[in-house]
Amino acid sequence: MNKNLEKILEEYRNKTRTYKEFTNTINFLLESILKKGSHKYHIYSRLKKIESLKEKIERKLLKGKVYRRLKDIKDISVIRIIFYTENDRKKFVSKIQKEFKDSLEIT
């Protein structure tokens, strides 16, 4: 196992609880906003499993991408909201942007 991989996995083990709490908290906040808005949606959240993290790092290394630190990996915690209508999506994005004063990048 390469040195960067070992370092990243160790850091992830040490921070897993923090990442899990963060994911759950953001999921709860977003779902609260969604429920108040009567949107039709499905929300999904997940924390990358350590095995998946290791596989990703190794797979990317084969393609020439080298992760040096845990913070270089962007999809450790994911929250995905699927809206059933474009109108609901637009209303929600607008509400979030106003709430956070456009400090978030939302796609």
Side-chain angles (χ1 to χ4, degrees), residues 59-92:
R59 187 176 63 250
K60 295 291 185 171
L61 185 60
L62 292 174
K63 295 179 179 181
K65 171 79 174 167
V66 178
Y67 292 110
R68 301 199 187 290
R69 298 164 302 209
L70 182 61
K71 71 179 187 174
D72 295 336
I73 301 166
K74 303 297 180 201
D75 65 341
I76 291 172
S77 172
V78 173
I79 299 174
R80 180 172 292 133
I81 305 168
I82 300 167
F83 291 93
Y84 293 97
T85 69
E86 181 64 15
N87 191 43
D88 277 345
R89 187 193 70 79
K90 286 179 179 179
K91 284 193 289 188
F92 180 73

mmCIF file of all heavy atoms in Angstrom, residues 59-92:
data_model
loop_
_atom_site.group_PDB
_atom_site.id
_atom_site.type_symbol
_atom_site.label_atom_id
_atom_site.label_comp_id
_atom_site.label_asym_id
_atom_site.label_seq_id
_atom_site.Cartn_x
_atom_site.Cartn_y
_atom_site.Cartn_z
ATOM 1 N N ARG A 59 -7.953 3.208 -7.951
ATOM 2 C CA ARG A 59 -8.434 3.312 -9.343
ATOM 3 C C ARG A 59 -7.930 4.593 -10.002
ATOM 4 O O ARG A 59 -7.449 4.592 -11.128
ATOM 5 C CB ARG A 59 -9.961 3.259 -9.348
ATOM 6 C CG ARG A 59 -10.593 3.187 -10.708
ATOM 7 C CD ARG A 59 -12.109 3.049 -10.655
ATOM 8 N NE ARG A 59 -12.751 4.195 -10.037
ATOM 9 C CZ ARG A 59 -13.346 4.188 -8.844
ATOM 10 N NH1 ARG A 59 -13.403 3.088 -8.120
ATOM 11 N NH2 ARG A 59 -13.911 5.280 -8.371
ATOM 12 N N LYS A 60 -8.030 5.713 -9.270
ATOM 13 C CA LYS A 60 -7.573 6.995 -9.805
ATOM 14 C C LYS A 60 -6.057 7.010 -9.990
ATOM 15 O O LYS A 60 -5.546 7.614 -10.930
ATOM 16 C CB LYS A 60 -8.004 8.149 -8.897
ATOM 17 C CG LYS A 60 -9.499 8.349 -8.826
ATOM 18 C CD LYS A 60 -10.044 8.866 -10.129
ATOM 19 C CE LYS A 60 -11.517 9.184 -10.002
ATOM 20 N NZ LYS A 60 -12.051 9.880 -11.142
ATOM 21 N N LEU A 61 -5.335 6.336 -9.116
ATOM 22 C CA LEU A 61 -3.880 6.262 -9.228
ATOM 23 C C LEU A 61 -3.476 5.570 -10.535
ATOM 24 O O LEU A 61 -2.541 6.002 -11.211
ATOM 25 C CB LEU A 61 -3.290 5.523 -8.029
ATOM 26 C CG LEU A 61 -1.770 5.470 -7.941
ATOM 27 C CD1 LEU A 61 -1.176 6.878 -7.871
ATOM 28 C CD2 LEU A 61 -1.348 4.665 -6.724
ATOM 29 N N LEU A 62 -4.224 4.534 -10.907
ATOM 30 C CA LEU A 62 -3.955 3.835 -12.167
ATOM 31 C C LEU A 62 -4.148 4.747 -13.379
ATOM 32 O O LEU A 62 -3.541 4.548 -14.415
ATOM 33 C CB LEU A 62 -4.853 2.608 -12.304
ATOM 34 C CG LEU A 62 -4.581 1.466 -11.331
ATOM 35 C CD1 LEU A 62 -5.634 0.381 -11.481
ATOM 36 C CD2 LEU A 62 -3.178 0.898 -11.525
ATOM 37 N N LYS A 63 -4.996 5.764 -13.211
ATOM 38 C CA LYS A 63 -5.248 6.721 -14.298
ATOM 39 C C LYS A 63 -4.368 7.962 -14.190
ATOM 40 O O LYS A 63 -4.548 8.921 -14.928
ATOM 41 C CB LYS A 63 -6.722 7.134 -14.289
ATOM 42 C CG LYS A 63 -7.658 5.988 -14.608
ATOM 43 C CD LYS A 63 -9.104 6.447 -14.568
ATOM 44 C CE LYS A 63 -10.031 5.289 -14.907
ATOM 45 N NZ LYS A 63 -11.432 5.690 -14.891
ATOM 46 N N GLY A 64 -3.448 7.955 -13.218
ATOM 47 C CA GLY A 64 -2.515 9.067 -13.090
ATOM 48 C C GLY A 64 -2.912 10.139 -12.093
ATOM 49 O O GLY A 64 -2.187 11.108 -11.893
ATOM 50 N N LYS A 65 -4.052 9.993 -11.443
ATOM 51 C CA LYS A 65 -4.506 10.969 -10.439
ATOM 52 C C LYS A 65 -3.976 10.542 -9.077
ATOM 53 O O LYS A 65 -4.210 9.428 -8.634
ATOM 54 C CB LYS A 65 -6.037 11.024 -10.431
ATOM 55 C CG LYS A 65 -6.647 11.813 -9.305
ATOM 56 C CD LYS A 65 -6.589 13.281 -9.554
ATOM 57 C CE LYS A 65 -7.355 14.019 -8.454
ATOM 58 N NZ LYS A 65 -7.111 15.413 -8.448
ATOM 59 N N VAL A 66 -3.265 11.442 -8.410
ATOM 60 C CA VAL A 66 -2.696 11.135 -7.101
ATOM 61 C C VAL A 66 -3.361 12.012 -6.047
ATOM 62 O O VAL A 66 -3.319 13.241 -6.133
ATOM 63 C CB VAL A 66 -1.166 11.377 -7.081
ATOM 64 C CG1 VAL A 66 -0.597 11.111 -5.704
ATOM 65 C CG2 VAL A 66 -0.489 10.519 -8.137
ATOM 66 N N TYR A 67 -3.998 11.365 -5.084
ATOM 67 C CA TYR A 67 -4.548 12.082 -3.932
ATOM 68 C C TYR A 67 -3.471 12.108 -2.857
ATOM 69 O O TYR A 67 -2.922 11.070 -2.499
ATOM 70 C CB TYR A 67 -5.797 11.391 -3.399
ATOM 71 C CG TYR A 67 -6.977 11.453 -4.328
ATOM 72 C CD1 TYR A 67 -7.442 10.325 -4.985
ATOM 73 C CD2 TYR A 67 -7.641 12.657 -4.545
ATOM 74 C CE1 TYR A 67 -8.532 10.385 -5.833
ATOM 75 C CE2 TYR A 67 -8.737 12.725 -5.397
ATOM 76 C CZ TYR A 67 -9.178 11.579 -6.027
ATOM 77 O OH TYR A 67 -10.263 11.639 -6.873
ATOM 78 N N ARG A 68 -3.190 13.284 -2.341
ATOM 79 C CA ARG A 68 -2.150 13.414 -1.318
ATOM 80 C C ARG A 68 -2.732 13.567 0.084
ATOM 81 O O ARG A 68 -2.080 13.224 1.062
ATOM 82 C CB ARG A 68 -1.251 14.593 -1.635
ATOM 83 C CG ARG A 68 -0.576 14.464 -2.997
ATOM 84 C CD ARG A 68 0.637 15.349 -3.137
ATOM 85 N NE ARG A 68 1.173 15.332 -4.477
ATOM 86 C CZ ARG A 68 1.801 14.311 -5.044
ATOM 87 N NH1 ARG A 68 1.963 13.199 -4.387
ATOM 88 N NH2 ARG A 68 2.258 14.390 -6.283
ATOM 89 N N ARG A 69 -3.959 14.110 0.142
ATOM 90 C CA ARG A 69 -4.612 14.338 1.435
ATOM 91 C C ARG A 69 -6.083 13.974 1.319
ATOM 92 O O ARG A 69 -6.654 14.001 0.231
ATOM 93 C CB ARG A 69 -4.509 15.806 1.828
ATOM 94 C CG ARG A 69 -3.080 16.293 2.011
ATOM 95 C CD ARG A 69 -3.063 17.777 2.016
ATOM 96 N NE ARG A 69 -3.646 18.204 0.727
ATOM 97 C CZ ARG A 69 -3.352 19.311 0.099
ATOM 98 N NH1 ARG A 69 -2.523 20.144 0.614
ATOM 99 N NH2 ARG A 69 -3.903 19.607 -1.059
ATOM 100 N N LEU A 70 -6.698 13.715 2.429
ATOM 101 C CA LEU A 70 -8.119 13.383 2.455
ATOM 102 C C LEU A 70 -8.948 14.520 1.883
ATOM 103 O O LEU A 70 -9.904 14.288 1.136
ATOM 104 C CB LEU A 70 -8.554 13.069 3.892
ATOM 105 C CG LEU A 70 -10.005 12.655 4.083
ATOM 106 C CD1 LEU A 70 -10.330 11.385 3.313
ATOM 107 C CD2 LEU A 70 -10.305 12.474 5.561
ATOM 108 N N LYS A 71 -8.577 15.753 2.162
ATOM 109 C CA LYS A 71 -9.374 16.884 1.691
ATOM 110 C C LYS A 71 -9.343 17.053 0.171
ATOM 111 O O LYS A 71 -10.123 17.813 -0.389
ATOM 112 C CB LYS A 71 -8.974 18.181 2.400
ATOM 113 C CG LYS A 71 -7.637 18.733 2.016
ATOM 114 C CD LYS A 71 -7.388 20.026 2.782
ATOM 115 C CE LYS A 71 -6.128 20.705 2.309
ATOM 116 N NZ LYS A 71 -5.967 22.005 2.944
ATOM 117 N N ASP A 72 -8.459 16.329 -0.514
ATOM 118 C CA ASP A 72 -8.433 16.358 -1.978
ATOM 119 C C ASP A 72 -9.589 15.568 -2.592
ATOM 120 O O ASP A 72 -9.884 15.714 -3.775
ATOM 121 C CB ASP A 72 -7.112 15.776 -2.509
ATOM 122 C CG ASP A 72 -5.906 16.622 -2.129
ATOM 123 O OD1 ASP A 72 -6.080 17.838 -1.882
ATOM 124 O OD2 ASP A 72 -4.797 16.066 -2.080
ATOM 125 N N ILE A 73 -10.230 14.740 -1.804
ATOM 126 C CA ILE A 73 -11.311 13.880 -2.291
ATOM 127 C C ILE A 73 -12.640 14.575 -2.008
ATOM 128 O O ILE A 73 -12.941 14.911 -0.870
ATOM 129 C CB ILE A 73 -11.238 12.497 -1.624
ATOM 130 C CG1 ILE A 73 -9.876 11.869 -1.948
ATOM 131 C CG2 ILE A 73 -12.394 11.611 -2.085
ATOM 132 C CD1 ILE A 73 -9.533 10.683 -1.113
ATOM 133 N N LYS A 74 -13.414 14.790 -3.064
ATOM 134 C CA LYS A 74 -14.590 15.658 -2.964
ATOM 135 C C LYS A 74 -15.907 14.944 -2.665
ATOM 136 O O LYS A 74 -16.893 15.587 -2.381
ATOM 137 C CB LYS A 74 -14.765 16.453 -4.264
ATOM 138 C CG LYS A 74 -13.547 17.282 -4.629
ATOM 139 C CD LYS A 74 -13.270 18.321 -3.593
ATOM 140 C CE LYS A 74 -12.053 19.148 -3.965
ATOM 141 N NZ LYS A 74 -11.459 19.820 -2.859
ATOM 142 N N ASP A 75 -15.961 13.624 -2.725
ATOM 143 C CA ASP A 75 -17.246 12.951 -2.574
ATOM 144 C C ASP A 75 -17.292 12.005 -1.376
ATOM 145 O O ASP A 75 -17.883 10.938 -1.420
ATOM 146 C CB ASP A 75 -17.621 12.208 -3.857
ATOM 147 C CG ASP A 75 -16.663 11.078 -4.168
ATOM 148 O OD1 ASP A 75 -15.541 11.075 -3.629
ATOM 149 O OD2 ASP A 75 -17.050 10.188 -4.943
ATOM 150 N N ILE A 76 -16.711 12.424 -0.279
ATOM 151 C CA ILE A 76 -16.731 11.600 0.929
ATOM 152 C C ILE A 76 -18.135 11.571 1.519
ATOM 153 O O ILE A 76 -18.639 10.544 1.932
ATOM 154 C CB ILE A 76 -15.704 12.118 1.951
ATOM 155 C CG1 ILE A 76 -14.303 11.863 1.411
ATOM 156 C CG2 ILE A 76 -15.909 11.456 3.306
ATOM 157 C CD1 ILE A 76 -13.202 12.468 2.209
ATOM 158 N N SER A 77 -18.766 12.699 1.536
ATOM 159 C CA SER A 77 -20.132 12.828 2.026
ATOM 160 C C SER A 77 -20.973 13.396 0.889
ATOM 161 O O SER A 77 -20.598 14.392 0.281
ATOM 162 C CB SER A 77 -20.159 13.789 3.221
ATOM 163 O OG SER A 77 -21.475 14.075 3.600
ATOM 164 N N VAL A 78 -22.105 12.749 0.621
ATOM 165 C CA VAL A 78 -22.945 13.182 -0.493
ATOM 166 C C VAL A 78 -24.393 13.264 -0.038
ATOM 167 O O VAL A 78 -24.890 12.374 0.650
ATOM 168 C CB VAL A 78 -22.844 12.187 -1.679
ATOM 169 C CG1 VAL A 78 -23.839 12.530 -2.760
ATOM 170 C CG2 VAL A 78 -21.435 12.159 -2.227
ATOM 171 N N ILE A 79 -25.031 14.354 -0.431
ATOM 172 C CA ILE A 79 -26.476 14.480 -0.246
ATOM 173 C C ILE A 79 -27.046 14.831 -1.610
ATOM 174 O O ILE A 79 -26.631 15.800 -2.234
ATOM 175 C CB ILE A 79 -26.841 15.550 0.792
ATOM 176 C CG1 ILE A 79 -26.250 15.167 2.150
ATOM 177 C CG2 ILE A 79 -28.369 15.715 0.862
ATOM 178 C CD1 ILE A 79 -26.395 16.188 3.223
ATOM 179 N N ARG A 80 -27.968 14.022 -2.063
ATOM 180 C CA ARG A 80 -28.569 14.222 -3.382
ATOM 181 C C ARG A 80 -30.075 14.402 -3.189
ATOM 182 O O ARG A 80 -30.705 13.632 -2.482
ATOM 183 C CB ARG A 80 -28.298 13.006 -4.268
ATOM 184 C CG ARG A 80 -28.870 13.112 -5.646
ATOM 185 C CD ARG A 80 -28.405 11.974 -6.533
ATOM 186 N NE ARG A 80 -26.969 12.137 -6.764
ATOM 187 C CZ ARG A 80 -26.076 11.161 -6.645
ATOM 188 N NH1 ARG A 80 -26.448 9.957 -6.306
ATOM 189 N NH2 ARG A 80 -24.794 11.407 -6.859
ATOM 190 N N ILE A 81 -30.597 15.437 -3.821
ATOM 191 C CA ILE A 81 -32.034 15.681 -3.789
ATOM 192 C C ILE A 81 -32.551 15.556 -5.211
ATOM 193 O O ILE A 81 -32.060 16.222 -6.113
ATOM 194 C CB ILE A 81 -32.369 17.080 -3.238
ATOM 195 C CG1 ILE A 81 -31.742 17.289 -1.858
ATOM 196 C CG2 ILE A 81 -33.885 17.286 -3.197
ATOM 197 C CD1 ILE A 81 -31.775 18.707 -1.362
ATOM 198 N N ILE A 82 -33.533 14.696 -5.380
ATOM 199 C CA ILE A 82 -34.165 14.520 -6.680
ATOM 200 C C ILE A 82 -35.567 15.106 -6.589
ATOM 201 O O ILE A 82 -36.365 14.693 -5.742
ATOM 202 C CB ILE A 82 -34.236 13.035 -7.073
ATOM 203 C CG1 ILE A 82 -32.815 12.461 -7.128
ATOM 204 C CG2 ILE A 82 -34.965 12.853 -8.403
ATOM 205 C CD1 ILE A 82 -32.752 10.969 -7.205
ATOM 206 N N PHE A 83 -35.827 16.083 -7.432
ATOM 207 C CA PHE A 83 -37.138 16.719 -7.470
ATOM 208 C C PHE A 83 -37.964 16.096 -8.587
ATOM 209 O O PHE A 83 -37.441 15.755 -9.640
ATOM 210 C CB PHE A 83 -37.007 18.225 -7.696
ATOM 211 C CG PHE A 83 -36.402 18.940 -6.528
ATOM 212 C CD1 PHE A 83 -35.047 19.175 -6.472
ATOM 213 C CD2 PHE A 83 -37.195 19.354 -5.475
ATOM 214 C CE1 PHE A 83 -34.474 19.816 -5.386
ATOM 215 C CE2 PHE A 83 -36.639 19.995 -4.383
ATOM 216 C CZ PHE A 83 -35.280 20.226 -4.334
ATOM 217 N N TYR A 84 -39.259 16.007 -8.354
ATOM 218 C CA TYR A 84 -40.145 15.425 -9.355
ATOM 219 C C TYR A 84 -40.605 16.456 -10.378
ATOM 220 O O TYR A 84 -41.055 16.104 -11.451
ATOM 221 C CB TYR A 84 -41.332 14.736 -8.680
ATOM 222 C CG TYR A 84 -40.871 13.521 -7.904
ATOM 223 C CD1 TYR A 84 -40.623 13.590 -6.532
ATOM 224 C CD2 TYR A 84 -40.629 12.319 -8.552
ATOM 225 C CE1 TYR A 84 -40.169 12.490 -5.835
ATOM 226 C CE2 TYR A 84 -40.169 11.211 -7.857
ATOM 227 C CZ TYR A 84 -39.950 11.301 -6.494
ATOM 228 O OH TYR A 84 -39.483 10.216 -5.804
ATOM 229 N N THR A 85 -40.465 17.732 -10.028
ATOM 230 C CA THR A 85 -40.791 18.779 -10.997
ATOM 231 C C THR A 85 -39.677 19.809 -11.030
ATOM 232 O O THR A 85 -39.016 20.080 -10.016
ATOM 233 C CB THR A 85 -42.123 19.498 -10.661
ATOM 234 O OG1 THR A 85 -41.947 20.268 -9.467
ATOM 235 C CG2 THR A 85 -43.273 18.518 -10.485
ATOM 236 N N GLU A 86 -39.470 20.391 -12.171
ATOM 237 C CA GLU A 86 -38.468 21.443 -12.334
ATOM 238 C C GLU A 86 -38.853 22.664 -11.501
ATOM 239 O O GLU A 86 -37.986 23.344 -10.934
ATOM 240 C CB GLU A 86 -38.325 21.812 -13.815
ATOM 241 C CG GLU A 86 -37.294 22.877 -14.100
ATOM 242 C CD GLU A 86 -35.863 22.483 -13.755
ATOM 243 O OE1 GLU A 86 -35.577 21.289 -13.543
ATOM 244 O OE2 GLU A 86 -35.013 23.395 -13.688
ATOM 245 N N ASN A 87 -40.121 22.932 -11.390
ATOM 246 C CA ASN A 87 -40.600 24.071 -10.608
ATOM 247 C C ASN A 87 -40.226 23.913 -9.127
ATOM 248 O O ASN A 87 -39.781 24.874 -8.487
ATOM 249 C CB ASN A 87 -42.114 24.241 -10.781
ATOM 250 C CG ASN A 87 -42.594 25.544 -10.199
ATOM 251 O OD1 ASN A 87 -41.963 26.584 -10.384
ATOM 252 N ND2 ASN A 87 -43.706 25.492 -9.487
ATOM 253 N N ASP A 88 -40.406 22.716 -8.581
ATOM 254 C CA ASP A 88 -40.012 22.473 -7.188
ATOM 255 C C ASP A 88 -38.505 22.670 -7.009
ATOM 256 O O ASP A 88 -38.054 23.249 -6.026
ATOM 257 C CB ASP A 88 -40.390 21.065 -6.749
ATOM 258 C CG ASP A 88 -41.831 20.941 -6.314
ATOM 259 O OD1 ASP A 88 -42.481 21.978 -6.079
ATOM 260 O OD2 ASP A 88 -42.307 19.793 -6.200
ATOM 261 N N ARG A 89 -37.726 22.184 -7.959
ATOM 262 C CA ARG A 89 -36.271 22.346 -7.882
ATOM 263 C C ARG A 89 -35.889 23.819 -7.876
ATOM 264 O O ARG A 89 -35.101 24.270 -7.044
ATOM 265 C CB ARG A 89 -35.579 21.634 -9.049
ATOM 266 C CG ARG A 89 -34.048 21.639 -8.907
ATOM 267 C CD ARG A 89 -33.356 21.226 -10.183
ATOM 268 N NE ARG A 89 -33.476 22.233 -11.225
ATOM 269 C CZ ARG A 89 -32.741 23.355 -11.302
ATOM 270 N NH1 ARG A 89 -31.852 23.632 -10.384
ATOM 271 N NH2 ARG A 89 -32.921 24.203 -12.290
ATOM 272 N N LYS A 90 -36.496 24.592 -8.772
ATOM 273 C CA LYS A 90 -36.176 26.023 -8.858
ATOM 274 C C LYS A 90 -36.560 26.758 -7.574
ATOM 275 O O LYS A 90 -35.800 27.603 -7.085
ATOM 276 C CB LYS A 90 -36.880 26.648 -10.058
ATOM 277 C CG LYS A 90 -36.254 26.277 -11.379
ATOM 278 C CD LYS A 90 -37.008 26.909 -12.536
ATOM 279 C CE LYS A 90 -36.363 26.556 -13.858
ATOM 280 N NZ LYS A 90 -37.094 27.139 -14.994
ATOM 281 N N LYS A 91 -37.720 26.448 -7.031
ATOM 282 C CA LYS A 91 -38.157 27.103 -5.786
ATOM 283 C C LYS A 91 -37.197 26.775 -4.639
ATOM 284 O O LYS A 91 -36.834 27.644 -3.850
ATOM 285 C CB LYS A 91 -39.578 26.682 -5.422
ATOM 286 C CG LYS A 91 -40.643 27.336 -6.266
ATOM 287 C CD LYS A 91 -42.032 27.159 -5.702
ATOM 288 C CE LYS A 91 -42.523 25.748 -5.819
ATOM 289 N NZ LYS A 91 -43.929 25.572 -5.455
ATOM 290 N N PHE A 92 -36.797 25.520 -4.557
ATOM 291 C CA PHE A 92 -35.898 25.106 -3.492
ATOM 292 C C PHE A 92 -34.523 25.769 -3.631
ATOM 293 O O PHE A 92 -33.972 26.283 -2.661
ATOM 294 C CB PHE A 92 -35.751 23.579 -3.474
ATOM 295 C CG PHE A 92 -34.836 23.097 -2.398
ATOM 296 C CD1 PHE A 92 -35.234 23.115 -1.069
ATOM 297 C CD2 PHE A 92 -33.570 22.635 -2.696
ATOM 298 C CE1 PHE A 92 -34.392 22.678 -0.065
ATOM 299 C CE2 PHE A 92 -32.714 22.194 -1.707
ATOM 300 C CZ PHE A 92 -33.134 22.208 -0.385
#
